[in-house]
């Protein structure tokens, strides 16, 4: 069965520091992978997605993620975090005609 | 222009009542979904509709009934509301039959059952 884990429930970083949020998945075929962000009281906004091709994908707001098939991972990174990045981040996996499965989310706090 | 919209944004009601949440998308997608997000932020799919037909029903209570008058709308009707139904409900849409399986989400409806 498909599953997604996000090992870090809560991460705190200082503004300007680099960020990496981890995502590991279990999937029987080549997955489609997504990162969404949810700001407090808001809906989910797509940050980036991977379907095929280049394993390093660029997204909005300066985020990037790297697909590593050998590690079943799709970690999200940002070189310099801004206070406005404080939010809940969700990794999701799916495939053509299949349901999305979401990870439990990682809450990011940013210190001034 | 809002791509996926939901109404109402907040809904407070008493146990035992019946309520509906509406969802509309203007993306031209043919598949729409309802998700429930619990108090721990966990997202779980409830239903999906493709071309007005239910294609997935993830073992939710039959008090929940999705209704799709056309492919741009997917409403969620809930009968006999219970305390445990309190959550944030998200609508989403995507286009089947393409390589892009991205789901686009609405802003959510926070349901509080008293």
């Amino acid at each position: 069965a498909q599953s997604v884990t996000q090992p870090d429930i809560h991460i705190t970083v200082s503004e300007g520091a680099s960020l990496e949020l981890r995502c590991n998945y279990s999937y029987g075929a080549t997955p489609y992978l997504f990162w969404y962000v949810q700001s407090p009281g808001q809906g989910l906004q797509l940050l980036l997605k991977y379907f095929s091709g280049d394993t390093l994908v660029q997204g909005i707001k300066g985020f990037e993620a790297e697909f590593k098939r050998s590690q079943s991972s799709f970690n999200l990174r940002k070189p310099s975090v801004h206070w406005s990045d404080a939010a809940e981040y969700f990794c999701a996996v799916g495939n053509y005609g299949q349901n999305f499965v979401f990870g439990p989310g990682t809450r990011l706090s940013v210190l001034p | 222009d809002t791509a996926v919209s939901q109404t109402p944004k907040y809904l407070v009601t008493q146990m035992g009542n019946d309520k509906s949440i509406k969802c509309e998308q203007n993306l031209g997608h043919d598949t729409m979904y309802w998700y429930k997000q619990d108090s721990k932020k966990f997202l779980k799919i409830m239903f999906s509709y493709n071309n007005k037909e239910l294609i997935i029903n993830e073992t939710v209570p039959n008090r929940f009934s999705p209704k799709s008058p056309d492919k741009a709308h997917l409403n969620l009707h809930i009968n006999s509301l219970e305390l445990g139904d309190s959550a944030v409900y998200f609508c989403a849409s995507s286009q089947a039959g393409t390589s892009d399986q991205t789901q686009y989400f609405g802003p959510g409806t926070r349901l509080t059952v008293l």
Side-chain angles (χ1 to χ4, degrees):
Chain A
Q2 309 152 242
S3 67
V4 178
T5 56
Q6 294 179 245
D8 304 304
I9 296 173
H10 185 200
I11 284 183
T12 300
V13 300
S14 297
E15 192 168 18
S18 63
L19 171 70
E20 181 169 33
L21 302 182
R22 296 182 290 164
C23 172
N24 293 95
Y25 66 90
S26 173
Y27 200 79
T30 300
Y32 294 166
L33 295 157
F34 306 83
W35 274 100
Y36 286 85
V37 61
Q38 183 181 22
S39 298
Q42 302 297 313
L44 280 78
Q45 181 182 22
L46 179 71
L47 281 176
L48 47 78
K49 58 191 176 186
Y50 171 79
F51 290 161
S52 64
D54 193 345
T55 56
L56 183 64
V57 293
Q58 302 297 320
I60 62 171
K61 304 185 180 186
F63 285 93
E64 67 177 25
E66 186 171 12
F67 170 56
K68 294 185 176 180
R69 185 187 303 275
S70 61
Q71 298 177 20
S72 297
S73 68
F74 189 57
N75 294 347
L76 182 71
R77 300 194 293 252
K78 185 170 184 177
S80 178
V81 169
H82 188 263
W83 65 266
S84 61
D85 293 325
E88 192 87 21
Y89 291 79
F90 294 94
C91 181
V93 62
N95 205 327
Y96 185 87
Q98 301 294 316
N99 269 345
F100 274 30
V101 174
F102 280 85
T106 297
R107 183 160 62 96
L108 173 65
S109 297
V110 180
L111 299 174
Chain B
D1 288 341
T2 303
V4 182
S5 59
Q6 296 179 227
T7 54
K9 188 170 175 64
Y10 300 96
L11 184 54
V12 180
T13 188
Q14 300 286 332
M15 270 198 318
N17 285 349
D18 303 338
K19 290 293 179 185
S20 291
I21 306 172
K22 295 186 176 182
C23 178
E24 177 180 2
Q25 54 94 5
N26 62 7
L27 297 168
H29 290 164
D30 62 2
T31 305
M32 296 181 71
Y33 311 83
W34 278 108
Y35 285 84
K36 180 180 180 180
Q37 185 177 48
D38 62 23
S39 58
K40 295 184 178 179
K41 301 287 188 180
F42 188 70
L43 275 160
K44 185 174 181 182
I45 189 164
M46 300 175 70
F47 301 102
S48 68
Y49 254 71
N50 178 267
N51 286 323
K52 299 198 294 179
E53 293 193 20
L54 179 68
I55 57 173
I56 300 172
N57 180 347
E58 294 286 329
T59 59
V60 300
N62 58 15
R63 299 181 295 104
F64 291 80
S65 54
K67 288 186 169 43
S68 182
D70 56 61
K71 73 173 189 178
H73 296 84
L74 181 64
N75 303 325
L76 182 65
H77 189 74
I78 315 170
N79 289 327
S80 303
L81 279 155
E82 300 178 357
L83 292 176
D85 298 332
S86 295
V88 181
Y89 292 85
F90 287 100
C91 176
S93 72
S94 69
Q95 181 62 33
T98 69
S99 59
D100 188 347
Q101 298 293 292
T102 304
Q103 292 185 15
Y104 295 89
F105 284 78
T109 296
R110 181 175 294 277
L111 171 65
T112 303
V113 182
L114 304 175

